[in-house]
């Protein structure tokens, strides 16, 4: 079986849309000040109708797109966010974080602080196991970067259960010679982050701030840390979609930005070249030549079909760089079929990129602009009221003992909103649900938001942005959708009322029907 991220993910499972074209880009201050120029599709050799066809095809799939930015010849030709997502909000990147960690390693190499041939053990003399076998002794930085550490089993799950992740990684069994086998390995990327911090004295995010983020005019990013204050490296970065596009454009330009070298061109070439081949799965579902996960791996970048390369993260966070077409495509999404997302790019956007500008088409550009400005994820459907609302509104619901520590809930029904409040012995958690519209707020309700990996999780009580909407599925069932729009994920919370009995069920968008949170059962106070 191919030891890929799919297996790793399975094991760990323990605003209005905006478009900016040419002369109208001033309507969106965030985009206008972010440093990438805007143009029209046709001016850069792409048909507006082809982008519409891409959107049409995407709408017919089960992939949930949350944002897209298409850059051609260094100019943004189309961009949009599916409401309630918006340009200014950072977004959880999952493993797309790895390409930024690789960039930090490259910058440290350029400064002479390390080389990719350095032995990993040399950086952490106080965290080494009592016995160092030949494979651990041979492990080099380049093996971390290429996920060819010699592990036969992904060590991340074991590592994040410890307080000292470096020590846990170094103690994990390396049974094969480094460089001999590709095994998807987020723990290896964490070690790259730890090495950068060891040689620079700074977290990766702080090291990158003046060297990468400031020149690219990227702000507002955050990065999760391990218990010892090291950025998680292989995941945990949150950044806006435009930050993804800029990273891709920087690599497309061989490390130069506004004429200044940010990353050495030699590192760009080395990082994005094929260093190791992923093994074919025992039971392939698609031919090797059609699989974008079997085209070779670089330094935390994947090679793609069509001589492209990419960084990507779980559920479809993408920076796709297409050198032959002089294009970059940044996507955020929640998808269970990441290959399907890439197929849409290859089937619709790739063939649309022509060598010369196309005749101006004001009508098509206007239609596309209006389409993208109106992008929105579907609101929950159902009735806006129920015969039960008058009797239920504001009544205390006493909850049975549960693992979330929640003791009481109330639902207050007003003209355009429903205020849901959950209470524990220490805190109160309110989420306001719109009726027929998203209502924006924040919450620290235990168990929210859904996340794939607990390593580096923010502490309990951290507040997360949420857009909420609720409807009545039937006269006794009130359902709320809570979209955590700085992540790819959402919750569906179903409240069923039967006389004075109440049950509240949580279902996250990534739990596949097996949400670990309890069903809250309770009784309406008389």
């Amino acid at each position: 079986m191919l030891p890929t991220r799919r297996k790793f993910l399975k094991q760990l499972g323990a605003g209005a849309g905006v478009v900016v074209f040419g002369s109208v880009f001033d309507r969106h201050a965030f985009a206008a000040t972010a440093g990438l120029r805007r143009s029209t599709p046709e001016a850069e050799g792409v048909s507006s109708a082809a982008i519409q066809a891409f959107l049409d095809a995407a709408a017919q799939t089960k992939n949930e797109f949350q944002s897209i930015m298409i850059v051609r010849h260094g100019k943004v030709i189309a961009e949009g966010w599916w409401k309630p997502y918006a340009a200014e909000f950072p977004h959880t990147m999952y493993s797309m974080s790895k390409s930024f960690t690789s960039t930090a390693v490259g910058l440290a190499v350029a400064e002479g602080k390390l080389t990719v041939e350095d032995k990993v053990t040399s950086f952490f003399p106080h965290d080494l196991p009592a016995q160092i076998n030949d494979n651990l002794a041979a492990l080099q930085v380049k093996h971390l970067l290429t996920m060819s550490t010699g592990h036969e089993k992904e060590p991340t799950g074991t590592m994040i259960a410890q307080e000292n992740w470096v020590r846990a990684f170094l103690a994990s069994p390396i049974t094969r010679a480094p460089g001999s086998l590709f095994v998807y390995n987020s723990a290896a990327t964490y070690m790259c982050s730890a090495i950068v911090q060891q040689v620079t004295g700074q977290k990766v995010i702080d090291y990158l701030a003046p060297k990468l983020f400031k020149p690219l005019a990227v702000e507002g990013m955050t990065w999760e840390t391990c218990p010892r204050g090291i950025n998680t490296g292989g995941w945990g970065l949150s950044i806006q979609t435009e930050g993804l596009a800029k990273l891709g454009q920087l690599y497309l330009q061989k490390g130069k930005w506004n004429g200044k070298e940010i990353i050495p061109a030699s590192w760009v070439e080395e990082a994005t070249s094929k260093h190791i081949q992923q093994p074919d799965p025992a039971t392939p579902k698609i031919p090797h030549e059609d699989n974008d996960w079997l085209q070779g791996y670089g330094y935390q970048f994947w090679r793609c079909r069509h001589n492209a390369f990419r960084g990507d993260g779980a559920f479809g966070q993408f920076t796709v760089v297409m050198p032959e077409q002089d294009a970059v495509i940044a996507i955020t999404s929640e998808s269970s079929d990441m290959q399907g997302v890439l197929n849409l790019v290859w089937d619709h956007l790739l063939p649309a990129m022509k060598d010369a500008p196309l005749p101006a088409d004001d009508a098509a550009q206007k239609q596309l602009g209006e389409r993208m400005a109106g992008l929105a994820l579907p609101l929950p459907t159902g009735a806006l009221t129920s015969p039960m609302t008058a009797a239920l509104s504001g009544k205390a619901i006493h909850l049975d003992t549960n693992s979330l520590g929640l003791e009481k809930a109330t639902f207050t029904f007003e003209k355009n909103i429903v205020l849901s409040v959950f209470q524990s012995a220490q805190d109160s958690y309110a989420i306001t649900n719109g009726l027929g519209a998203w209502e924006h707020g924040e919450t620290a309700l235990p168990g929210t938001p859904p996340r794939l990996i607990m390593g580096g999780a923010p502490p309990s009580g951290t507040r997360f942005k949420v857009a909420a909407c609720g409807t009545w599925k039937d006269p006794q069932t009130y359902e709320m959708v809570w979209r955590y729009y700085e992540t790819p994920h959402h919750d569906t919370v179903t409240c069923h009322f039967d006389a004075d009995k109440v049950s509240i069920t949580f279902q996250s968008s990534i739990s596949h029907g097996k949400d670990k949170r309890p069903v809250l059962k309770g009784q309406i106070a008389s």
Side-chain angles (χ1 to χ4, degrees):
M1 178 179 292
L2 177 63
T4 65
R5 174 185 29 220
R6 293 178 180 85
K7 182 176 180 182
F8 162 68
L9 297 183
K10 184 176 180 181
Q11 291 171 338
L12 286 180
V18 177
V19 64
V20 184
F21 291 142
S23 62
V24 300
F25 83 95
D26 287 337
R27 62 181 285 199
H28 188 5
F30 177 83
T33 60
L36 281 173
R37 292 177 294 168
R38 267 62 184 173
S39 183
T40 63
E42 279 74 14
E44 309 308 324
V46 182
S47 163
S48 293
I51 300 176
Q52 287 257 44
F54 170 87
L55 295 174
D56 290 339
Q60 297 303 311
T61 71
K62 294 182 180 179
N63 300 306
E64 181 184 284
F65 282 78
Q66 295 160 353
S67 73
I68 186 168
M69 182 173 285
I70 304 172
V71 185
R72 186 91 200 277
H73 304 323
K75 300 173 185 177
V76 179
I77 60 171
E79 60 189 316
W81 285 258
W82 279 255
K83 183 181 178 181
Y85 292 87
E88 63 268 27
F89 298 124
H91 193 282
T92 301
M93 287 297 128
Y94 284 116
S95 288
M96 181 64 233
S97 309
K98 291 177 169 67
S99 299
F100 288 87
T101 301
S102 170
T103 302
V105 173
L107 290 168
V109 167
E111 291 184 333
K113 297 183 182 297
L114 75 152
T115 74
V116 297
E117 286 80 27
D118 287 344
K119 299 295 179 60
V120 173
T121 54
S122 69
F123 298 100
F124 307 105
H126 303 298
D127 291 313
L128 299 174
Q131 299 295 324
I132 302 175
N133 68 15
D134 291 344
N135 291 332
L136 176 58
L139 184 66
Q140 299 177 354
V141 173
K142 66 181 179 183
H143 300 131
L144 301 176
L145 288 166
T146 57
M147 296 196 182
S148 60
T149 59
H151 290 96
E152 292 189 73
K153 182 181 178 181
E154 159 66 49
T156 304
T158 301
M159 182 187 76
I160 64 175
Q162 308 298 315
E163 189 276 337
N164 186 331
W165 291 8
V166 168
R167 184 171 297 169
F169 177 91
L170 295 171
S172 61
I174 299 179
T175 57
R176 302 279 290 272
S180 64
L181 176 71
F182 175 92
V183 173
Y184 194 80
N185 195 329
S186 290
T189 321
Y190 166 77
M191 291 298 290
C192 291
S193 174
I195 288 170
V196 169
Q197 185 160 330
Q198 188 75 1
V199 300
T200 67
Q202 294 179 290
K203 296 175 185 176
V204 163
I205 192 170
D206 296 327
Y207 180 64
L208 289 177
K211 301 176 184 300
L212 179 72
F213 295 131
K214 184 176 180 180
L216 269 57
V218 176
E219 299 179 346
M221 55 283 167
T222 61
W223 208 320
E224 296 171 0
T225 62
C226 76
R228 300 174 72 218
I230 300 168
N231 287 139
T232 47
W235 67 94
L237 174 67
S238 290
I239 195 170
Q240 299 95 343
T241 309
E242 184 142 345
L244 300 185
K246 287 179 174 180
L247 181 74
Q249 188 64 31
L250 176 66
Y251 272 78
L252 182 63
Q253 296 170 175
K254 304 296 185 182
K256 287 189 175 181
W257 194 261
N258 292 333
K260 180 180 178 182
E261 181 180 273
I262 305 299
I263 311 167
S266 58
W267 179 262
V268 172
E269 179 67 24
E270 188 174 356
T272 61
S273 296
K274 175 181 175 180
H275 289 274
I276 192 166
Q277 176 63 51
Q278 305 93 334
D280 285 346
T283 54
K285 295 182 179 180
I286 57 177
H288 182 117
E289 62 272 16
D290 296 333
N291 190 329
D292 282 292
W293 276 262
L294 295 177
Q295 305 305 311
Y297 196 72
Y299 289 171
Q300 309 288 288
F301 286 92
W302 300 83
R303 295 297 305 175
C304 302
R305 292 179 288 160
H306 310 293
N307 199 33
F309 62 89
R310 73 184 188 279
D312 72 32
F315 305 103
Q317 323 317 313
F318 286 106
T319 300
V320 181
V321 182
M322 304 161 64
E324 293 181 358
Q325 291 73 34
D326 193 24
V328 174
I329 299 172
I331 292 170
T332 63
S333 65
E334 185 180 62
S335 171
S336 59
D337 180 15
M338 291 173 64
Q339 181 63 68
V341 174
L342 289 174
N343 289 344
L344 290 169
V345 172
W346 307 141
D347 292 346
H348 297 279
L349 298 181
L350 174 66
M353 295 180 180
K354 306 305 181 183
D355 293 335
L358 302 177
D361 190 337
D362 293 342
Q365 291 169 17
K366 181 180 179 182
Q367 184 181 35
L368 176 61
E370 291 173 350
R371 167 91 175 261
M372 296 193 77
L375 293 172
L377 295 174
L379 291 161
T381 58
L384 299 185
T385 188
S386 162
M388 293 195 66
T389 58
L392 178 63
S393 186
K395 291 290 184 68
I397 301 169
H398 296 286
L399 301 174
D400 297 346
T401 301
N402 60 81
S403 60
L404 296 179
L406 300 175
E407 298 180 350
K408 190 169 68 172
T410 58
F411 297 89
T412 303
F413 295 85
E414 300 180 3
K415 182 178 180 181
N416 295 314
I417 61 169
V418 178
L419 178 64
S420 57
V421 180
F422 297 83
Q423 291 178 270
S424 67
Q426 296 81 25
D427 293 294
S428 179
Y429 311 96
I431 295 179
T432 303
N433 304 275
L435 291 173
W438 298 113
E439 188 73 21
H440 291 72
E442 294 183 342
T443 186
L445 182 70
T448 63
R451 59 182 286 132
L452 181 65
I453 180 171
M454 292 312 296
S460 176
T462 301
R463 300 184 67 82
F464 293 91
K465 290 183 171 63
V466 62
C469 181
T471 59
W472 287 91
K473 309 306 288 186
D474 62 52
Q476 293 178 287
T477 307
Y478 179 65
E479 184 175 278
M480 300 173 284
V481 175
W482 298 343
R483 288 197 170 274
Y484 308 96
Y485 54 88
E486 292 188 339
T487 85
H489 309 310
H490 65 273
D491 273 324
T492 300
V493 185
T494 304
C495 310
H496 184 72
F497 305 97
D498 184 4
D500 64 345
K501 304 296 184 184
V502 180
S503 67
I504 303 173
T505 303
F506 296 89
Q507 182 66 60
S508 84
S509 56
I510 60 174
S511 61
H512 307 295
K514 298 178 181 179
D515 201 292
K516 294 181 178 180
R517 287 167 290 185
V519 176
L520 303 179
K521 295 185 178 294
Q523 186 169 358
I524 301 173
S526 57

